[in-house]
Amino acid sequence: MGDFELDLQTAEGELDEPDAGGRVVLGVLDGSTDPEKWVDHVKRDDVVVLNVEGDLNDLAAGFAREVRDYGGELMHFRGFLVVSPPGRDIDTDRL
């Protein structure tokens, strides 16, 4: 067999960064946060869970359509709005 050298340091440098996925971000949906902040979280692959304090339709109007157009999902559950990025389905089978 011939000589074979494996340079692990060089190989490691060639690897892509591991995909850490997103975070789970907790917040309050009361109109005090710029709706674009929630969209930005979804675009960074974060799942957002918001405690709804007020009328959901009014409070989510500033970002719900953009999240859906981007491919994300929104689900209202027991006073919370769960917002997920594309490719991360919200499983409601146990409800």
Side-chain angles (χ1 to χ4, degrees):
M1 245 190 213
D3 291 329
F4 179 76
E5 288 187 36
L6 180 60
D7 183 354
L8 293 177
Q9 287 181 330
T10 302
E12 189 175 287
E14 297 294 322
L15 294 174
D16 291 333
E17 290 287 321
D19 184 7
R23 300 179 301 160
V24 175
V25 177
L26 304 179
V28 177
L29 184 60
D30 61 3
S32 65
T33 301
D34 179 3
E36 270 307 303
K37 296 265 187 205
W38 306 129
V39 174
D40 290 342
H41 278 293
V42 171
K43 288 183 176 181
R44 287 193 304 254
D45 203 33
D46 295 338
V47 173
V48 180
V49 180
L50 301 170
N51 182 26
V52 180
E53 292 187 356
D55 182 73
L56 174 62
N57 292 328
D58 289 340
L59 294 170
F63 66 91
R65 179 167 300 214
E66 188 171 351
V67 167
R68 283 196 182 114
D69 289 348
Y70 183 68
E73 284 190 57
L74 296 99
M75 172 66 61
H76 185 224
F77 177 69
R78 295 190 180 195
F80 293 92
L81 180 64
V82 180
V83 186
S84 68
R88 212 162 305 161
D89 297 331
I90 299 172
D91 184 349
T92 59
D93 289 348
R94 291 179 197 85
L95 297 181

